[in-house]
Amino acid sequence: GELTSTIDTIDVATRQSIARISTLPPEVDLSNNAMFHQKIKQSECAAIRISPDGALLFGSNRGDDSLVVCNMAGDMPQPIGHFRLGCRTPRDFFVDPQGKFVLGM
């Protein structure tokens, strides 16, 4: 969910959430983003993308200005790291066709 900074895995047959993961790192840092630090007072998830080979899921965090990376090898996405995108309030991002680069916007 955008406002809860989570990604749900949905069972298509039942349309029910069967798993939920946080997109945020253990320690959220809003200090470098004045709008989220002073007005919104939380980080929010924005875009979700899957790598071209289907091995990784990415989700951007507006406010914390980070990207969660999840392994898609099992039944459910498993977070494997959080990285700074180098841009403020990343609403969207692009994974290049070879899956080697992520460009934040």
Side-chain angles (χ1 to χ4, degrees), residues 44-58:
E44 298 175 348
C45 186
I48 299 172
R49 303 277 181 264
I50 296 178
S51 63
D53 63 3
L56 300 172
L57 177 142
F58 304 91

Side-chain angles (χ1 to χ4, degrees), residues 77-96:
Q78 295 297 318
I80 57 174
H82 296 85
F83 304 93
R84 297 279 170 209
L85 281 173
C87 61
R88 189 173 289 169
T89 315
R91 180 172 296 278
D92 205 354
F93 59 94
F94 173 77
V95 181
D96 85 289

Side-chain angles (χ1 to χ4, degrees), residues 6-77:
T6 57
I7 296 173
D8 284 84
T9 300
I10 306 295
D11 181 319
V12 177
T14 64
R15 298 183 183 168
Q16 298 293 316
S17 174
I18 56 174
R20 176 174 287 169
I21 59 168
S22 175
T23 63
L24 295 171
E27 303 227 359
V28 176
D29 181 9
L30 302 178
S31 64
N32 291 323
N33 192 319
M35 182 180 80
F36 278 83
H37 183 70
Q38 296 169 2
K39 294 184 181 187
I40 298 175
K41 302 195 185 300
Q42 70 180 24
S43 188
E44 298 175 348
C45 186
I48 299 172
R49 303 277 181 264
I50 296 178
S51 63
D53 63 3
L56 300 172
L57 177 142
F58 304 91
S60 61
N61 293 303
R62 300 171 60 222
D64 185 63
D65 302 339
S66 65
L67 187 75
V68 64
V69 181
C70 300
N71 185 336
M72 296 291 287
D75 293 340
M76 308 289 173

